[in-house]
Amino acid sequence: MTTTTTTTTTSASIPAPVACSSTHRHCLPCTQRRGSAAASAAAVVALLLATSAWLSLVFSSPSIRLHWAHIRTSASPFRRASPPPLPGPSTRVPPPTGPPNRLRPLSLRHLVFGIGGSAHLWPRRREFVRLWWRPGAMRGHVWLDDRVPRPPRNSSLARSLPPVRVSEDISRFRYTNPTGHPSGLRIARILSETFRLGHRGSRWFVLVDDDTIVCPDNLVAVLAKYDWTEMAYVGSPSESHSANTYFSHAMAFGGGGIAISYPLAVALAGMMDECIERYPKLYGSDDRLHACISELGVPLSREYGFHQWDIRGNAHGLLAAHPVAPFVSIHHVEAVDPIYPGLSTLGSLKRFTKAMKADPMSFLQRSICYDKRRKLTFSVSLGYVVQVFPTIVLPRELERSEQTYIAWNKLNNRNEFDFDTRDTYRSVCKKPVLFFLRDIERDGNTTLGSYRRVKGRDNLKKKVFCFPRTPPLPDMNEIQVFGTPLSENWHLVPRRLCCKLNQRRYGTLKIAVGQCDHGASGSAAGSL
C-alpha cells in the first residue's frame, strides 16, 4: 500500500517532501502534526482559563465581582453611559480646619434674625421686639412693606431695636389664593433677602413675626443640639388641629419661629424666586417656605418650645402646663388676654420677659409637690403661677393643659387642639387658688420669685358651698419660690423639676424648686 511504501522509504533514506492533497491529511509530516497538537492544547488551556474566570465571576464575593467588572469595563471598546448628575452640588459647609475642639460653641452672634412686620403696625409692635432684642449681641433686620419714620439715631428707642429695611417689590410674582394676602410672598422672601446681605460667620437664620416674644438664650441652647453644617429645618406646627390639617403637620409655623441652618439657607436663596412661582395658590409665607424645603427633601425637626399660639382668650392653661422643654417663643401676644391679671398687654409682657431673663432655662418649667397632711396639691410654673388645689391631683392630670382658651378659628372643643387638654373644673370646690408672679429677683445662682394670691369672684362661693372644707391656705397671701439653676445639659434629656415645701411664716409659704437628683422619687418628684 502506499502508506507502507512511504514508511519503508522514509526509514531507509530521507527523500524530498511528498506533496499531499487536501483529501489526504494523514500524509502531513511529523513536525506539522506536533505543531497542530500544540495549538490544540493551547486552545484547550485558553478555554479552561476562560471557564475558570467565568466561574469565579459567578461564584466569587461581591468585592471580587467588582474587580472583574472593572477589568472588563476598562477593556471594553464601548463607553458605558454615566448616571445622571444630582440636582445641584452638595451644600454641606465644611467645618473649620484644625482640631474639632477649635470649633467655637454656638452663640447669639452666629444667629441672624429676619423679623417680618408691616409699616402700619410697626409703631405699636416694635415695643414687643424691644422686650427681647439685645443690641450689640444680636444680628438681623426688621423687614417692612414700606418706609417708616426713623427715631433719632442716638435715642434709646433707636439703640434698642434692630435696623429696619424695606422688602423688595413682589408685584412680579403670581398670587391666586382667594382668602390670603400677597404679603405672604414678601415675607417668604425675607430669608433670601437677608442671606444676600452677607452676614459673615452666620450659622442659623431665624424667621419670626413682630408680634412674637423670643427667648434668645434658650434658642441658642436648642439649636446647639444640631449640626449647623447640614441642612436643618427647626420649628413647630400649630396648636390648632385644623390649621395643621389645612397646611401641614410637618410645617414649622412662622409666627412661632423658624430656624434654618446655613447650608439650607444657601440652597433656598438660590431657588426661592423660582420655587414660589410654582405655588401661587398657597396662603402665606411659611407654607411657601415649607413647600420649597420639601422640594429639597429636608424634614421638620420639631422642638416643643416654639409656640405658634393659635389661640384666643385666656392663655392660663397653656402657660401653667408648659411642655418639659426650654421655652423659645410665643406668638399672637395681642390676641390673648393679659398674661398676669390686672396689667395691660404690654405691662404683662414686661413682667413675663423679666422672669424669662432671670433664669431662661428654668422659665415656665413645672414642678408638683404635695402636702399630704392637709391633702393639698401645689403645681408650680416658674415665672408665672403657683396653683394650690384643695385635693390631691395626680401628675397625669396636671400635665394636661386646662382648656381656658379657644382656638384661633374660635372653636373650643378639645378635638381642635394637637396636644393633651382637659376640661376646666365646673365645681368651685375643685378649682385651685392662684398665686401669680408679682416680682422676681436673681441673687447669684438663685432666683427668688414672689407670687401673690388673686382674690377672684369664686372666693365667696367657696366659703359658702364648700363648707366645712375651707379654701386652701386661707391665711396665706404670698408664696415665695426659690429656684436653683439647671445643669447645662438638662434640656438634652429633660425632666420635670422637683419641689419641696418649707416653713410658713407671717402669711408667707416658701417653696424650693430645682432639678431632681438622679433617682429622686416621692413627693419631691411629684409622686405620692
Side-chain angles (χ1 to χ4, degrees):
M1 293 177 64
T2 306
T3 303
T4 305
T5 305
T6 304
T7 303
T8 306
T9 305
T10 303
S11 60
S13 62
I14 303 177
V18 178
C20 297
S21 64
S22 61
T23 57
H24 295 84
R25 297 186 183 275
H26 58 277
C27 66
L28 290 174
C30 185
T31 55
Q32 293 185 9
R33 289 199 301 270
R34 286 196 298 268
S36 177
S40 299
V44 172
V45 173
L47 179 61
L48 291 175
L49 290 174
T51 303
S52 175
W54 181 81
L55 290 174
S56 64
L57 177 63
V58 173
F59 297 105
S60 61
S61 64
S63 60
I64 298 179
R65 288 200 299 270
L66 289 174
H67 174 72
W68 277 99
H70 170 72
I71 295 177
R72 292 179 63 188
T73 302
S74 61
S76 173
F78 302 101
R79 180 174 298 176
R80 179 174 294 179
S82 59
L86 294 174
S90 171
T91 55
R92 187 183 191 277
V93 179
T97 58
N101 56 8
R102 290 189 180 181
L103 183 62
R104 291 193 301 169
L106 188 69
S107 68
L108 279 176
R109 293 301 298 173
H110 297 126
L111 276 56
V112 180
F113 288 83
I115 305 172
S118 67
H120 173 67
L121 298 174
W122 178 240
R124 181 173 79 247
R125 290 188 172 179
R126 67 187 180 188
E127 297 301 321
F128 303 148
V129 177
R130 292 180 66 187
L131 294 176
W132 59 270
W133 185 260
R134 298 181 188 176
M138 302 172 69
R139 295 189 292 173
H141 297 84
V142 175
W143 295 88
L144 304 179
D145 53 352
D146 202 354
R147 296 184 182 276
V148 293
R150 293 184 178 181
R153 178 173 298 182
N154 294 326
S155 64
S156 60
L157 180 62
R159 293 194 303 266
S160 60
L161 288 169
V164 175
R165 301 183 71 93
V166 178
S167 300
E168 297 176 358
D169 181 38
I170 57 169
S171 59
R172 67 183 187 275
F173 297 102
R174 296 179 298 148
Y175 187 89
T176 60
N177 189 287
T179 60
H181 192 275
S183 61
L185 292 167
R186 178 182 69 85
I187 298 176
R189 298 182 73 252
I190 287 179
L191 173 67
S192 56
E193 292 189 50
T194 302
F195 180 82
R196 288 199 298 268
L197 295 178
H199 292 278
R200 185 177 181 182
S202 57
R203 299 182 184 179
W204 291 91
F205 291 84
V206 182
L207 308 176
V208 297
D209 287 356
D210 57 355
D211 59 340
T212 300
I213 299 295
V214 178
C215 182
D217 297 298
N218 288 349
L219 177 60
V220 171
V222 168
L223 295 182
K225 299 191 302 183
Y226 298 90
D227 183 359
W228 67 272
T229 66
E230 299 286 353
M231 290 188 178
Y233 170 48
V234 183
S236 181
S238 171
E239 293 83 1
S240 169
H241 178 74
S242 297
N244 291 334
T245 301
Y246 179 80
F247 293 102
S248 174
H249 287 264
M251 183 186 88
F253 278 64
I258 303 173
I260 295 175
S261 65
Y262 184 86
L264 182 55
V266 172
L268 288 172
M271 65 176 289
M272 181 60 68
D273 288 352
E274 177 185 353
C275 177
I276 61 177
E277 274 292 336
R278 293 192 282 271
Y279 302 98
K281 296 182 179 180
L282 296 184
Y283 178 87
S285 59
D286 41 14
D287 51 349
R288 280 177 169 79
L289 193 64
H290 173 247
C292 298
I293 294 175
S294 297
E295 292 189 3
L296 298 172
V298 180
L300 172 66
S301 296
R302 179 169 182 170
E303 290 290 344
Y304 288 93
F306 291 81
H307 301 290
Q308 171 68 10
W309 257 28
D310 279 339
I311 60 171
R312 302 177 189 268
N314 186 358
H316 170 78
L318 284 179
L319 293 172
H322 188 273
V324 185
F327 166 80
V328 176
S329 66
I330 55 170
H331 182 221
H332 288 151
V333 294
E334 291 181 302
V336 297
D337 300 338
I339 295 175
Y340 301 97
L343 298 178
S344 64
T345 295
L346 183 58
S348 284
L349 292 176
K350 287 181 179 179
R351 183 176 297 181
F352 185 82
T353 52
K354 181 180 181 180
M356 178 184 74
K357 296 173 183 177
D359 191 356
M361 190 62 71
S362 298
F363 181 58
L364 293 184
Q365 293 309 305
R366 292 176 292 137
S367 182
I368 302 171
C369 51
Y370 300 93
D371 186 337
K372 297 180 182 180
R373 185 174 63 86
R374 295 178 176 84
K375 295 184 179 180
L376 300 179
T377 301
F378 294 81
S379 177
V380 181
S381 176
L382 284 174
Y384 175 57
V385 70
V386 178
Q387 301 179 91
V388 185
F389 293 84
T391 58
I392 297 297
V393 185
L394 298 180
R396 187 178 186 276
E397 182 175 351
L398 293 177
E399 286 183 345
R400 294 176 177 266
S401 173
E402 182 183 4
Q403 196 177 317
T404 60
Y405 41 82
I406 61 174
W408 189 256
N409 55 13
K410 299 183 179 181
L411 298 179
N412 61 354
N413 60 79
R414 290 179 58 185
N415 294 331
E416 178 56 30
F417 301 98
D418 262 358
F419 52 91
D420 292 333
T421 63
R422 61 181 173 89
D423 294 330
T424 58
Y425 293 113
R426 294 184 179 182
S427 173
V428 295
C429 299
K430 293 184 177 180
K431 291 184 178 181
V433 175
L434 304 181
F435 294 74
F436 283 97
L437 178 74
R438 183 175 182 180
D439 199 6
I440 190 169
E441 298 177 355
R442 187 179 181 94
D443 184 10
N445 290 331
T446 304
T447 58
L448 173 60
S450 173
Y451 297 76
R452 290 297 180 93
R453 188 187 192 113
V454 175
K455 297 182 179 180
R457 294 175 298 176
D458 294 335
N459 287 345
L460 180 60
K461 292 181 180 180
K462 289 180 180 180
K463 293 180 180 179
V464 174
F465 295 107
C466 302
F467 182 83
R469 178 75 174 175
T470 60
L473 306 180
D475 57 340
M476 291 294 166
N477 296 319
E478 180 185 14
I479 295 180
Q480 293 181 350
V481 179
F482 295 84
T484 55
L486 306 183
S487 65
E488 184 178 355
N489 296 325
W490 170 86
H491 63 289
L492 300 180
V493 187
R495 181 186 177 187
R496 190 178 66 239
L497 304 185
C498 288
C499 65
K500 182 179 180 181
L501 302 176
N502 291 332
Q503 71 276 11
R504 295 189 297 174
R505 187 178 181 184
Y506 303 118
T508 299
L509 173 66
K510 297 182 179 181
I511 302 178
V513 177
Q515 190 169 347
C516 301
D517 296 331
H518 292 293
S521 59
S523 60
S527 60
L528 296 175

